[in-house]
PDB file of all heavy atoms in Angstrom:
ATOM      1  N   SER A1195      41.139  25.948  66.527  1.00  0.00           N
ATOM      2  CA  SER A1195      40.618  26.748  65.411  1.00  0.00           C
ATOM      3  C   SER A1195      40.756  26.003  64.091  1.00  0.00           C
ATOM      4  O   SER A1195      39.847  26.038  63.248  1.00  0.00           O
ATOM      5  CB  SER A1195      41.333  28.098  65.345  1.00  0.00           C
ATOM      6  OG  SER A1195      42.716  27.950  65.083  1.00  0.00           O
ATOM      7  N   MET A1196      41.865  25.299  63.896  1.00  0.00           N
ATOM      8  CA  MET A1196      42.059  24.542  62.661  1.00  0.00           C
ATOM      9  C   MET A1196      41.128  23.328  62.595  1.00  0.00           C
ATOM     10  O   MET A1196      40.649  22.963  61.519  1.00  0.00           O
ATOM     11  CB  MET A1196      43.519  24.079  62.556  1.00  0.00           C
ATOM     12  CG  MET A1196      44.501  25.196  62.274  1.00  0.00           C
ATOM     13  SD  MET A1196      44.235  25.973  60.639  1.00  0.00           S
ATOM     14  CE  MET A1196      43.238  27.380  61.103  1.00  0.00           C
ATOM     15  N   LEU A1197      40.869  22.714  63.750  1.00  0.00           N
ATOM     16  CA  LEU A1197      39.941  21.582  63.787  1.00  0.00           C
ATOM     17  C   LEU A1197      38.541  22.024  63.356  1.00  0.00           C
ATOM     18  O   LEU A1197      37.879  21.331  62.579  1.00  0.00           O
ATOM     19  CB  LEU A1197      39.903  20.992  65.194  1.00  0.00           C
ATOM     20  CG  LEU A1197      38.908  19.833  65.424  1.00  0.00           C
ATOM     21  CD1 LEU A1197      39.277  18.638  64.559  1.00  0.00           C
ATOM     22  CD2 LEU A1197      38.885  19.438  66.902  1.00  0.00           C
ATOM     23  N   LEU A1198      38.097  23.164  63.848  1.00  0.00           N
ATOM     24  CA  LEU A1198      36.771  23.676  63.488  1.00  0.00           C
ATOM     25  C   LEU A1198      36.663  23.913  61.987  1.00  0.00           C
ATOM     26  O   LEU A1198      35.668  23.555  61.355  1.00  0.00           O
ATOM     27  CB  LEU A1198      36.494  24.977  64.253  1.00  0.00           C
ATOM     28  CG  LEU A1198      36.354  24.855  65.775  1.00  0.00           C
ATOM     29  CD1 LEU A1198      36.235  26.244  66.404  1.00  0.00           C
ATOM     30  CD2 LEU A1198      35.154  23.996  66.146  1.00  0.00           C
ATOM     31  N   VAL A1199      37.702  24.500  61.407  1.00  0.00           N
ATOM     32  CA  VAL A1199      37.682  24.785  59.968  1.00  0.00           C
ATOM     33  C   VAL A1199      37.748  23.499  59.157  1.00  0.00           C
ATOM     34  O   VAL A1199      37.036  23.338  58.165  1.00  0.00           O
ATOM     35  CB  VAL A1199      38.844  25.732  59.590  1.00  0.00           C
ATOM     36  CG1 VAL A1199      38.920  25.919  58.077  1.00  0.00           C
ATOM     37  CG2 VAL A1199      38.659  27.085  60.265  1.00  0.00           C
ATOM     38  N   ALA A1200      38.607  22.561  59.572  1.00  0.00           N
ATOM     39  CA  ALA A1200      38.758  21.297  58.835  1.00  0.00           C
ATOM     40  C   ALA A1200      37.450  20.519  58.792  1.00  0.00           C
ATOM     41  O   ALA A1200      37.087  19.943  57.761  1.00  0.00           O
ATOM     42  CB  ALA A1200      39.858  20.451  59.475  1.00  0.00           C
ATOM     43  N   ILE A1201      36.718  20.495  59.899  1.00  0.00           N
ATOM     44  CA  ILE A1201      35.448  19.769  59.946  1.00  0.00           C
ATOM     45  C   ILE A1201      34.392  20.456  59.081  1.00  0.00           C
ATOM     46  O   ILE A1201      33.625  19.807  58.369  1.00  0.00           O
ATOM     47  CB  ILE A1201      34.963  19.643  61.399  1.00  0.00           C
ATOM     48  CG1 ILE A1201      35.887  18.710  62.184  1.00  0.00           C
ATOM     49  CG2 ILE A1201      33.529  19.129  61.459  1.00  0.00           C
ATOM     50  CD1 ILE A1201      35.591  18.665  63.671  1.00  0.00           C
ATOM     51  N   ALA A1202      34.376  21.788  59.136  1.00  0.00           N
ATOM     52  CA  ALA A1202      33.316  22.530  58.437  1.00  0.00           C
ATOM     53  C   ALA A1202      33.575  22.710  56.948  1.00  0.00           C
ATOM     54  O   ALA A1202      32.619  22.851  56.172  1.00  0.00           O
ATOM     55  CB  ALA A1202      33.145  23.898  59.097  1.00  0.00           C
ATOM     56  N   ALA A1203      34.850  22.691  56.531  1.00  0.00           N
ATOM     57  CA  ALA A1203      35.199  23.059  55.155  1.00  0.00           C
ATOM     58  C   ALA A1203      34.458  22.269  54.072  1.00  0.00           C
ATOM     59  O   ALA A1203      33.914  22.869  53.136  1.00  0.00           O
ATOM     60  CB  ALA A1203      36.714  22.943  54.951  1.00  0.00           C
ATOM     61  N   PRO A1204      34.415  20.930  54.127  1.00  0.00           N
ATOM     62  CA  PRO A1204      33.717  20.214  53.050  1.00  0.00           C
ATOM     63  C   PRO A1204      32.229  20.576  52.949  1.00  0.00           C
ATOM     64  O   PRO A1204      31.684  20.688  51.850  1.00  0.00           O
ATOM     65  CB  PRO A1204      33.906  18.734  53.427  1.00  0.00           C
ATOM     66  CG  PRO A1204      35.098  18.717  54.328  1.00  0.00           C
ATOM     67  CD  PRO A1204      35.024  20.004  55.080  1.00  0.00           C
ATOM     68  N   PHE A1205      31.582  20.761  54.085  1.00  0.00           N
ATOM     69  CA  PHE A1205      30.157  21.083  54.079  1.00  0.00           C
ATOM     70  C   PHE A1205      29.915  22.502  53.596  1.00  0.00           C
ATOM     71  O   PHE A1205      28.969  22.768  52.854  1.00  0.00           O
ATOM     72  CB  PHE A1205      29.573  20.885  55.479  1.00  0.00           C
ATOM     73  CG  PHE A1205      29.712  19.480  55.992  1.00  0.00           C
ATOM     74  CD1 PHE A1205      30.639  19.172  56.964  1.00  0.00           C
ATOM     75  CD2 PHE A1205      28.930  18.460  55.466  1.00  0.00           C
ATOM     76  CE1 PHE A1205      30.783  17.872  57.418  1.00  0.00           C
ATOM     77  CE2 PHE A1205      29.071  17.150  55.926  1.00  0.00           C
ATOM     78  CZ  PHE A1205      29.994  16.857  56.893  1.00  0.00           C
ATOM     79  N   LEU A1206      30.788  23.428  54.018  1.00  0.00           N
ATOM     80  CA  LEU A1206      30.666  24.806  53.545  1.00  0.00           C
ATOM     81  C   LEU A1206      30.889  24.885  52.043  1.00  0.00           C
ATOM     82  O   LEU A1206      30.181  25.606  51.337  1.00  0.00           O
ATOM     83  CB  LEU A1206      31.679  25.697  54.269  1.00  0.00           C
ATOM     84  CG  LEU A1206      31.440  25.946  55.756  1.00  0.00           C
ATOM     85  CD1 LEU A1206      32.617  26.701  56.366  1.00  0.00           C
ATOM     86  CD2 LEU A1206      30.152  26.724  55.969  1.00  0.00           C
ATOM     87  N   GLY A1207      31.887  24.121  51.556  1.00  0.00           N
ATOM     88  CA  GLY A1207      32.150  24.107  50.121  1.00  0.00           C
ATOM     89  C   GLY A1207      30.981  23.560  49.340  1.00  0.00           C
ATOM     90  O   GLY A1207      30.608  24.094  48.282  1.00  0.00           O
ATOM     91  N   ALA A1208      30.368  22.490  49.848  1.00  0.00           N
ATOM     92  CA  ALA A1208      29.215  21.894  49.172  1.00  0.00           C
ATOM     93  C   ALA A1208      28.050  22.876  49.115  1.00  0.00           C
ATOM     94  O   ALA A1208      27.399  23.037  48.075  1.00  0.00           O
ATOM     95  CB  ALA A1208      28.793  20.618  49.899  1.00  0.00           C
ATOM     96  N   HIS A1209      27.785  23.554  50.209  1.00  0.00           N
ATOM     97  CA  HIS A1209      26.692  24.520  50.240  1.00  0.00           C
ATOM     98  C   HIS A1209      26.974  25.696  49.307  1.00  0.00           C
ATOM     99  O   HIS A1209      26.075  26.174  48.599  1.00  0.00           O
ATOM    100  CB  HIS A1209      26.477  25.028  51.665  1.00  0.00           C
ATOM    101  CG  HIS A1209      25.399  26.044  51.789  1.00  0.00           C
ATOM    102  ND1 HIS A1209      25.643  27.402  51.711  1.00  0.00           N
ATOM    103  CD2 HIS A1209      24.049  25.917  51.947  1.00  0.00           C
ATOM    104  CE1 HIS A1209      24.500  28.064  51.828  1.00  0.00           C
ATOM    105  NE2 HIS A1209      23.527  27.179  51.980  1.00  0.00           N
ATOM    106  N   ALA A1210      28.227  26.171  49.298  1.00  0.00           N
ATOM    107  CA  ALA A1210      28.582  27.294  48.437  1.00  0.00           C
ATOM    108  C   ALA A1210      28.420  26.944  46.972  1.00  0.00           C
ATOM    109  O   ALA A1210      27.984  27.773  46.162  1.00  0.00           O
ATOM    110  CB  ALA A1210      30.017  27.732  48.725  1.00  0.00           C
ATOM    111  N   ASP A1211      28.750  25.701  46.598  1.00  0.00           N
ATOM    112  CA  ASP A1211      28.571  25.261  45.213  1.00  0.00           C
ATOM    113  C   ASP A1211      27.101  25.215  44.826  1.00  0.00           C
ATOM    114  O   ASP A1211      26.712  25.675  43.751  1.00  0.00           O
ATOM    115  CB  ASP A1211      29.186  23.863  45.010  1.00  0.00           C
ATOM    116  CG  ASP A1211      30.693  23.931  44.842  1.00  0.00           C
ATOM    117  OD1 ASP A1211      31.189  24.993  44.411  1.00  0.00           O
ATOM    118  OD2 ASP A1211      31.364  22.949  45.146  1.00  0.00           O
ATOM    119  N   ARG A1212      26.275  24.645  45.696  1.00  0.00           N
ATOM    120  CA  ARG A1212      24.855  24.497  45.379  1.00  0.00           C
ATOM    121  C   ARG A1212      24.144  25.837  45.278  1.00  0.00           C
ATOM    122  O   ARG A1212      23.290  26.034  44.417  1.00  0.00           O
ATOM    123  CB  ARG A1212      24.167  23.627  46.436  1.00  0.00           C
ATOM    124  CG  ARG A1212      24.516  22.151  46.380  1.00  0.00           C
ATOM    125  CD  ARG A1212      23.542  21.333  47.214  1.00  0.00           C
ATOM    126  NE  ARG A1212      23.529  21.764  48.610  1.00  0.00           N
ATOM    127  CZ  ARG A1212      24.303  21.245  49.549  1.00  0.00           C
ATOM    128  NH1 ARG A1212      25.146  20.274  49.238  1.00  0.00           N
ATOM    129  NH2 ARG A1212      24.243  21.673  50.793  1.00  0.00           N
ATOM    130  N   SER A1213      24.502  26.754  46.160  1.00  0.00           N
ATOM    131  CA  SER A1213      23.775  28.023  46.237  1.00  0.00           C
ATOM    132  C   SER A1213      24.486  29.183  45.546  1.00  0.00           C
ATOM    133  O   SER A1213      23.935  30.289  45.472  1.00  0.00           O
ATOM    134  CB  SER A1213      23.552  28.389  47.712  1.00  0.00           C
ATOM    135  OG  SER A1213      24.796  28.502  48.389  1.00  0.00           O
ATOM    136  N   GLY A1214      25.711  28.937  45.031  1.00  0.00           N
ATOM    137  CA  GLY A1214      26.451  30.016  44.396  1.00  0.00           C
ATOM    138  C   GLY A1214      26.766  31.148  45.368  1.00  0.00           C
ATOM    139  O   GLY A1214      26.650  32.331  45.017  1.00  0.00           O
ATOM    140  N   SER A1215      27.161  30.782  46.577  1.00  0.00           N
ATOM    141  CA  SER A1215      27.302  31.790  47.640  1.00  0.00           C
ATOM    142  C   SER A1215      28.736  31.937  48.138  1.00  0.00           C
ATOM    143  O   SER A1215      28.955  32.239  49.312  1.00  0.00           O
ATOM    144  CB  SER A1215      26.385  31.431  48.811  1.00  0.00           C
ATOM    145  OG  SER A1215      26.656  30.116  49.286  1.00  0.00           O
ATOM    146  N   ARG A1216      29.717  31.707  47.272  1.00  0.00           N
ATOM    147  CA  ARG A1216      31.112  31.854  47.707  1.00  0.00           C
ATOM    148  C   ARG A1216      31.379  33.252  48.252  1.00  0.00           C
ATOM    149  O   ARG A1216      32.012  33.427  49.288  1.00  0.00           O
ATOM    150  CB  ARG A1216      32.057  31.580  46.536  1.00  0.00           C
ATOM    151  CG  ARG A1216      32.127  30.127  46.109  1.00  0.00           C
ATOM    152  CD  ARG A1216      32.985  29.998  44.856  1.00  0.00           C
ATOM    153  NE  ARG A1216      33.039  28.635  44.390  1.00  0.00           N
ATOM    154  CZ  ARG A1216      32.083  28.052  43.674  1.00  0.00           C
ATOM    155  NH1 ARG A1216      31.008  28.739  43.350  1.00  0.00           N
ATOM    156  NH2 ARG A1216      32.195  26.797  43.280  1.00  0.00           N
ATOM    157  N   ARG A1217      30.904  34.243  47.523  1.00  0.00           N
ATOM    158  CA  ARG A1217      31.125  35.627  47.939  1.00  0.00           C
ATOM    159  C   ARG A1217      30.474  35.905  49.295  1.00  0.00           C
ATOM    160  O   ARG A1217      31.062  36.574  50.146  1.00  0.00           O
ATOM    161  CB  ARG A1217      30.583  36.569  46.866  1.00  0.00           C
ATOM    162  CG  ARG A1217      30.638  38.045  47.212  1.00  0.00           C
ATOM    163  CD  ARG A1217      30.205  38.880  46.018  1.00  0.00           C
ATOM    164  NE  ARG A1217      29.909  40.249  46.411  1.00  0.00           N
ATOM    165  CZ  ARG A1217      28.720  40.659  46.831  1.00  0.00           C
ATOM    166  NH1 ARG A1217      27.714  39.780  46.928  1.00  0.00           N
ATOM    167  NH2 ARG A1217      28.528  41.915  47.169  1.00  0.00           N
ATOM    168  N   HIS A1218      29.256  35.398  49.481  1.00  0.00           N
ATOM    169  CA  HIS A1218      28.564  35.623  50.742  1.00  0.00           C
ATOM    170  C   HIS A1218      29.307  34.978  51.920  1.00  0.00           C
ATOM    171  O   HIS A1218      29.420  35.567  53.003  1.00  0.00           O
ATOM    172  CB  HIS A1218      27.133  35.082  50.664  1.00  0.00           C
ATOM    173  CG  HIS A1218      26.283  35.842  49.695  1.00  0.00           C
ATOM    174  ND1 HIS A1218      25.280  35.249  48.957  1.00  0.00           N
ATOM    175  CD2 HIS A1218      26.293  37.143  49.326  1.00  0.00           C
ATOM    176  CE1 HIS A1218      24.708  36.158  48.180  1.00  0.00           C
ATOM    177  NE2 HIS A1218      25.310  37.303  48.395  1.00  0.00           N
ATOM    178  N   TRP A1219      29.813  33.772  51.704  1.00  0.00           N
ATOM    179  CA  TRP A1219      30.552  33.105  52.774  1.00  0.00           C
ATOM    180  C   TRP A1219      31.868  33.829  53.060  1.00  0.00           C
ATOM    181  O   TRP A1219      32.306  33.921  54.205  1.00  0.00           O
ATOM    182  CB  TRP A1219      30.823  31.647  52.410  1.00  0.00           C
ATOM    183  CG  TRP A1219      29.669  30.742  52.679  1.00  0.00           C
ATOM    184  CD1 TRP A1219      28.893  30.091  51.764  1.00  0.00           C
ATOM    185  CD2 TRP A1219      29.130  30.387  53.965  1.00  0.00           C
ATOM    186  NE1 TRP A1219      27.913  29.358  52.393  1.00  0.00           N
ATOM    187  CE2 TRP A1219      28.034  29.519  53.742  1.00  0.00           C
ATOM    188  CE3 TRP A1219      29.472  30.717  55.274  1.00  0.00           C
ATOM    189  CZ2 TRP A1219      27.285  28.979  54.783  1.00  0.00           C
ATOM    190  CZ3 TRP A1219      28.728  30.183  56.311  1.00  0.00           C
ATOM    191  CH2 TRP A1219      27.646  29.330  56.055  1.00  0.00           C
ATOM    192  N   LEU A1220      32.518  34.340  52.016  1.00  0.00           N
ATOM    193  CA  LEU A1220      33.750  35.095  52.216  1.00  0.00           C
ATOM    194  C   LEU A1220      33.474  36.346  53.054  1.00  0.00           C
ATOM    195  O   LEU A1220      34.221  36.663  53.987  1.00  0.00           O
ATOM    196  CB  LEU A1220      34.363  35.486  50.874  1.00  0.00           C
ATOM    197  CG  LEU A1220      35.626  36.358  50.942  1.00  0.00           C
ATOM    198  CD1 LEU A1220      36.730  35.656  51.722  1.00  0.00           C
ATOM    199  CD2 LEU A1220      36.108  36.711  49.540  1.00  0.00           C
ATOM    200  N   ILE A1221      32.395  37.056  52.730  1.00  0.00           N
ATOM    201  CA  ILE A1221      32.023  38.247  53.502  1.00  0.00           C
ATOM    202  C   ILE A1221      31.751  37.866  54.962  1.00  0.00           C
ATOM    203  O   ILE A1221      32.207  38.541  55.887  1.00  0.00           O
ATOM    204  CB  ILE A1221      30.782  38.928  52.885  1.00  0.00           C
ATOM    205  CG1 ILE A1221      31.132  39.510  51.511  1.00  0.00           C
ATOM    206  CG2 ILE A1221      30.247  40.027  53.806  1.00  0.00           C
ATOM    207  CD1 ILE A1221      29.928  40.041  50.746  1.00  0.00           C
ATOM    208  N   PHE A1222      31.007  36.774  55.150  1.00  0.00           N
ATOM    209  CA  PHE A1222      30.667  36.339  56.503  1.00  0.00           C
ATOM    210  C   PHE A1222      31.920  36.052  57.326  1.00  0.00           C
ATOM    211  O   PHE A1222      32.076  36.545  58.455  1.00  0.00           O
ATOM    212  CB  PHE A1222      29.774  35.099  56.442  1.00  0.00           C
ATOM    213  CG  PHE A1222      29.520  34.459  57.782  1.00  0.00           C
ATOM    214  CD1 PHE A1222      28.628  35.019  58.673  1.00  0.00           C
ATOM    215  CD2 PHE A1222      30.190  33.296  58.152  1.00  0.00           C
ATOM    216  CE1 PHE A1222      28.391  34.430  59.929  1.00  0.00           C
ATOM    217  CE2 PHE A1222      29.972  32.703  59.385  1.00  0.00           C
ATOM    218  CZ  PHE A1222      29.068  33.279  60.281  1.00  0.00           C
ATOM    219  N   PHE A1223      32.839  35.264  56.773  1.00  0.00           N
ATOM    220  CA  PHE A1223      34.027  34.893  57.549  1.00  0.00           C
ATOM    221  C   PHE A1223      34.983  36.066  57.720  1.00  0.00           C
ATOM    222  O   PHE A1223      35.693  36.152  58.734  1.00  0.00           O
ATOM    223  CB  PHE A1223      34.730  33.699  56.906  1.00  0.00           C
ATOM    224  CG  PHE A1223      34.038  32.396  57.168  1.00  0.00           C
ATOM    225  CD1 PHE A1223      33.468  31.665  56.133  1.00  0.00           C
ATOM    226  CD2 PHE A1223      33.926  31.910  58.456  1.00  0.00           C
ATOM    227  CE1 PHE A1223      32.809  30.470  56.382  1.00  0.00           C
ATOM    228  CE2 PHE A1223      33.273  30.718  58.722  1.00  0.00           C
ATOM    229  CZ  PHE A1223      32.709  30.001  57.676  1.00  0.00           C
ATOM    230  N   CYS A1224      34.997  36.967  56.758  1.00  0.00           N
ATOM    231  CA  CYS A1224      35.785  38.190  56.923  1.00  0.00           C
ATOM    232  C   CYS A1224      35.248  39.014  58.095  1.00  0.00           C
ATOM    233  O   CYS A1224      36.023  39.507  58.923  1.00  0.00           O
ATOM    234  CB  CYS A1224      35.773  39.010  55.642  1.00  0.00           C
ATOM    235  SG  CYS A1224      36.534  40.638  55.802  1.00  0.00           S
ATOM    236  N   LEU A1225      33.927  39.156  58.161  1.00  0.00           N
ATOM    237  CA  LEU A1225      33.315  39.906  59.259  1.00  0.00           C
ATOM    238  C   LEU A1225      33.595  39.232  60.608  1.00  0.00           C
ATOM    239  O   LEU A1225      33.968  39.890  61.585  1.00  0.00           O
ATOM    240  CB  LEU A1225      31.805  40.028  59.044  1.00  0.00           C
ATOM    241  CG  LEU A1225      31.353  41.011  57.953  1.00  0.00           C
ATOM    242  CD1 LEU A1225      29.859  40.877  57.704  1.00  0.00           C
ATOM    243  CD2 LEU A1225      31.699  42.440  58.355  1.00  0.00           C
ATOM    244  N   VAL A1226      33.424  37.907  60.660  1.00  0.00           N
ATOM    245  CA  VAL A1226      33.687  37.168  61.895  1.00  0.00           C
ATOM    246  C   VAL A1226      35.138  37.363  62.339  1.00  0.00           C
ATOM    247  O   VAL A1226      35.424  37.697  63.494  1.00  0.00           O
ATOM    248  CB  VAL A1226      33.380  35.667  61.704  1.00  0.00           C
ATOM    249  CG1 VAL A1226      33.927  34.853  62.881  1.00  0.00           C
ATOM    250  CG2 VAL A1226      31.882  35.436  61.576  1.00  0.00           C
ATOM    251  N   GLY A1227      36.063  37.162  61.395  1.00  0.00           N
ATOM    252  CA  GLY A1227      37.484  37.254  61.730  1.00  0.00           C
ATOM    253  C   GLY A1227      37.923  38.656  62.107  1.00  0.00           C
ATOM    254  O   GLY A1227      38.626  38.854  63.106  1.00  0.00           O
ATOM    255  N   SER A1228      37.516  39.645  61.322  1.00  0.00           N
ATOM    256  CA  SER A1228      37.966  41.016  61.570  1.00  0.00           C
ATOM    257  C   SER A1228      37.358  41.589  62.850  1.00  0.00           C
ATOM    258  O   SER A1228      38.045  42.289  63.607  1.00  0.00           O
ATOM    259  CB  SER A1228      37.639  41.912  60.374  1.00  0.00           C
ATOM    260  OG  SER A1228      36.251  41.963  60.125  1.00  0.00           O
ATOM    261  N   VAL A1229      36.081  41.289  63.105  1.00  0.00           N
ATOM    262  CA  VAL A1229      35.438  41.792  64.330  1.00  0.00           C
ATOM    263  C   VAL A1229      36.063  41.140  65.573  1.00  0.00           C
ATOM    264  O   VAL A1229      36.355  41.821  66.565  1.00  0.00           O
ATOM    265  CB  VAL A1229      33.914  41.554  64.289  1.00  0.00           C
ATOM    266  CG1 VAL A1229      33.279  41.845  65.650  1.00  0.00           C
ATOM    267  CG2 VAL A1229      33.269  42.430  63.217  1.00  0.00           C
ATOM    268  N   ALA A1230      36.291  39.828  65.532  1.00  0.00           N
ATOM    269  CA  ALA A1230      36.936  39.151  66.668  1.00  0.00           C
ATOM    270  C   ALA A1230      38.336  39.698  66.891  1.00  0.00           C
ATOM    271  O   ALA A1230      38.777  39.861  68.040  1.00  0.00           O
ATOM    272  CB  ALA A1230      36.981  37.644  66.424  1.00  0.00           C
ATOM    273  N   THR A1231      39.050  40.003  65.802  1.00  0.00           N
ATOM    274  CA  THR A1231      40.386  40.597  65.913  1.00  0.00           C
ATOM    275  C   THR A1231      40.309  41.958  66.606  1.00  0.00           C
ATOM    276  O   THR A1231      41.087  42.248  67.519  1.00  0.00           O
ATOM    277  CB  THR A1231      41.021  40.750  64.520  1.00  0.00           C
ATOM    278  OG1 THR A1231      41.169  39.460  63.919  1.00  0.00           O
ATOM    279  CG2 THR A1231      42.385  41.415  64.615  1.00  0.00           C
ATOM    280  N   ALA A1232      39.379  42.796  66.165  1.00  0.00           N
ATOM    281  CA  ALA A1232      39.228  44.125  66.763  1.00  0.00           C
ATOM    282  C   ALA A1232      38.846  44.033  68.236  1.00  0.00           C
ATOM    283  O   ALA A1232      39.299  44.836  69.066  1.00  0.00           O
ATOM    284  CB  ALA A1232      38.182  44.933  65.993  1.00  0.00           C
TER     285      ALA A1232
END
């Protein structure tokens, strides 16, 4: 799980900066994490 995040983090950060989508990505990962937990 940490390997997946480490590889994706720089690219996700770059996309979030360009598109101003930090909030959208936070919502997405919250949904992914909370639903998988449930």
Side-chain angles (χ1 to χ4, degrees):
S1195 63
M1196 289 295 96
L1197 177 63
L1198 294 174
V1199 174
I1201 292 173
F1205 300 106
L1206 291 173
H1209 179 268
D1211 280 335
R1212 288 194 302 269
S1213 59
S1215 56
R1216 289 174 182 80
R1217 175 174 165 272
H1218 294 147
W1219 278 112
L1220 177 59
I1221 293 172
F1222 172 76
F1223 283 115
C1224 172
L1225 286 171
V1226 168
S1228 61
V1229 170
T1231 298

